[in-house]
Amino acid sequence: MKHGFSSTSLYCLQRLIIVGLIGAFSACSTTAPVTSVTSISSQTSTVSQRALVSEQGFNWVVLGEQGQAIARSITGATMCPVLIQDGVAQTMTVRAASGSVAQRKTASSTEDSKASDFPVLTCEAILNPATRVASINGQTLPLPKPVPQKILVIGDTGCRLKKADNYFQPCNDASKWAFYDVIKTAAEFKPDLVIHVGDYHYRENRCPEGNAECAGSPWGYGWDTWKADFFTPAAPLLKVAPWVVVRGNHESCIRAGQGWWRMMDPRPLQAGRDCNLEQDDMGGDYSPPYAVPLGKFGEQNAQLIVFDSAKIPGKAIAKTDPAYAIYMQQFQAVDQLSEQADFNFFINHHPILGFASDRKKGEAVEFKPGNAALQSLMQNYHPVRLFPSKVHATLSGHVHLFEAISFTSGHPTQFVSGNGGSSLDQALPNQIPAGTTPFSAAEVDHFSNSNEVGFMTMERIAEGWKMQSWDKTGKLMTACLMSDGKTKCKLMTQ
């Protein structure tokens, strides 16, 4: 297609592969998004459940395909609130009705899972690009800037409660789950745009009896957990700037995918890709890439390419797996999207050119390469570089560190911002062993990393892009400059 795939057409192609030609025609409707789903209970939630959210609720702006700004609101009221744009009022549309989703297969055992309760409305409305002032219930919304100068990146932010790993992070201790501190400092930076690189939700299982550090925490995949793990702590930053949201593996259908589709993803909520029914997971676990323009600064036109890698495994995917054809179509779309801008940031959850940290008991920490499944898929189009020529940097999470990796081999610079508050990984040595690389054809120039909780910023300057990492108090840890096709980084003194 001359101008690239649309999200709708790619979704249709995916359904052709999954359900066959006849089923796909019904799955590819382009009508308005559904406001209720067949597996959602129609019973009205109780007043006590609605008390989880005030009628004012949580209000924010998310950016979707081609930068379309969408106002979102989560409310405990019985009707959606009114959005006012430049003095003109409109009632927002119900994206997802309140109700309970029947228990389904999850990443945990049946006895450690439960139904997902959403006693709230998720509401939305398109924001007019020409709008100068917008508000919901008296709260002024942050509107997108045509050319955002300062962009803030966070990821892997939730509080881990996972029985299978016998790991229960102290969610009640701000020094051990520091997402609140990260948000406080990040909001003080007053960014023009926020990017979350995935994994918002970590409280999958019940806190053990007698564990005071996480006692009373909600768990499971319903609204109470989403509220505790993301919306309440993130509220100050939701008020400051629009968000671009990237899906992580914790938001796959077998985990927190129901909440992802109800509340987070900028595209329409559709029956069949809402993660409510296990038999529909092939539709719910994959979504087409899209671009978010960052405008033109000087002579350079830049954009983000958002890629959903929520279900990507750690090993190469067999060509007979239906997911293989889906991802191949999506990487073809990435190539086409990249032609829209001079400078592209590819953003997804799993690092492609980053390192993972692995340490077995009694042994030294080990460097693990980038995601093998994504690398094997991308080599079909770009055997050496992996990425199209106009992709100059890639942003990810998943590894619970900050990383900056530049290359002498012409590969895009990889940044990892997975240190947003969840349990941290073992830091790697900044001096990597000779010959160590995240991908066989890539030659590392600079590598630095940190397991201090924090975030990173991207700032446009005359010379190019200034990329910096900060700890939760706002202390600068690493500074990089991307300019003229090269990236130079400096590890700041501790």
Side-chain angles (χ1 to χ4, degrees), residues 212-223:
E213 292 186 311
C214 60
S217 172
W219 63 279
Y221 303 114
W223 164 245

Side-chain angles (χ1 to χ4, degrees), residues 136-148:
I136 300 172
N137 289 331
Q139 177 190 324
T140 300
L141 296 177
L143 299 177
K145 295 183 178 180
V147 185

Side-chain angles (χ1 to χ4, degrees), residues 341-353:
D342 307 312
F343 195 106
N344 289 272
F345 291 91
F346 179 92
I347 57 176
N348 76 310
H349 185 62
H350 298 79
I352 297 166
L353 292 172

Side-chain angles (χ1 to χ4, degrees), residues 277-356:
L277 301 175
E278 182 186 352
Q279 60 263 35
D280 292 333
D281 283 359
M282 282 299 292
D285 272 330
Y286 305 89
S287 53
Y290 61 94
V292 177
L294 298 177
K296 192 171 185 178
F297 185 76
E299 296 300 315
Q300 186 189 82
N301 190 31
Q303 71 175 2
L304 308 172
I305 297 177
V306 183
F307 191 91
D308 181 352
S309 65
K311 279 298 288 185
I312 202 73
K315 298 180 180 179
I317 301 172
K319 292 184 178 181
T320 54
D321 189 323
Y324 182 90
I326 292 173
Y327 281 125
M328 288 297 288
Q329 290 170 357
Q330 292 184 359
F331 279 114
Q332 184 180 359
V334 168
D335 274 24
Q336 295 179 348
L337 288 169
S338 72
E339 291 299 317
Q340 298 177 174
D342 307 312
F343 195 106
N344 289 272
F345 291 91
F346 179 92
I347 57 176
N348 76 310
H349 185 62
H350 298 79
I352 297 166
L353 292 172
F355 291 110

Side-chain angles (χ1 to χ4, degrees), residues 100-150:
S100 293
V101 185
Q103 183 171 332
R104 53 152 294 162
K105 180 181 178 181
T106 73
S108 302
S109 64
T110 301
E111 57 268 25
D112 292 313
S113 305
K114 62 179 180 179
S116 299
D117 191 23
F118 294 95
V120 290
L121 293 177
T122 302
C123 305
E124 64 183 355
I126 298 296
L127 286 167
N128 189 321
T131 295
R132 301 180 64 182
V133 180
S135 64
I136 300 172
N137 289 331
Q139 177 190 324
T140 300
L141 296 177
L143 299 177
K145 295 183 178 180
V147 185
Q149 295 295 115
K150 182 182 287 185

Side-chain angles (χ1 to χ4, degrees), residues 120-302:
V120 290
L121 293 177
T122 302
C123 305
E124 64 183 355
I126 298 296
L127 286 167
N128 189 321
T131 295
R132 301 180 64 182
V133 180
S135 64
I136 300 172
N137 289 331
Q139 177 190 324
T140 300
L141 296 177
L143 299 177
K145 295 183 178 180
V147 185
Q149 295 295 115
K150 182 182 287 185
I151 301 170
L152 190 140
V153 186
I154 58 173
D156 299 86
T157 52
C159 185
R160 184 185 293 272
L161 299 179
K162 191 173 181 181
K163 183 178 178 181
D165 295 342
N166 192 30
Y167 193 98
F168 299 93
Q169 193 171 351
C171 305
N172 300 333
D173 187 338
S175 67
K176 296 177 181 177
W177 180 51
F179 186 32
Y180 278 94
D181 292 337
V182 168
I183 289 293
K184 179 179 181 295
T185 302
E188 292 170 353
F189 274 57
K190 300 188 184 305
D192 299 327
L193 179 66
V194 175
I195 300 170
H196 194 301
V197 291
D199 281 6
Y200 312 73
H201 179 292
Y202 278 81
R203 305 187 196 206
E204 301 184 80
N205 303 126
R206 182 187 292 107
C207 178
E209 187 175 349
N211 186 330
E213 292 186 311
C214 60
S217 172
W219 63 279
Y221 303 114
W223 164 245
D224 57 348
T225 309
W226 271 96
K227 179 174 181 281
D229 232 11
F230 177 71
F231 282 99
T232 295
L237 193 54
L238 290 171
K239 294 178 180 178
V240 169
W243 284 53
V244 171
V245 291
V246 181
R247 190 180 187 184
N249 59 298
H250 279 250
E251 289 78 53
S252 64
C253 282
I254 204 169
R255 302 173 95 170
Q258 294 164 341
W260 168 260
W261 280 111
R262 294 175 70 92
M263 299 178 288
M264 304 300 290
D265 197 285
R267 284 141 322 175
L269 174 63
Q270 297 177 352
R273 63 171 179 177
D274 50 24
C275 294
N276 288 336
L277 301 175
E278 182 186 352
Q279 60 263 35
D280 292 333
D281 283 359
M282 282 299 292
D285 272 330
Y286 305 89
S287 53
Y290 61 94
V292 177
L294 298 177
K296 192 171 185 178
F297 185 76
E299 296 300 315
Q300 186 189 82
N301 190 31

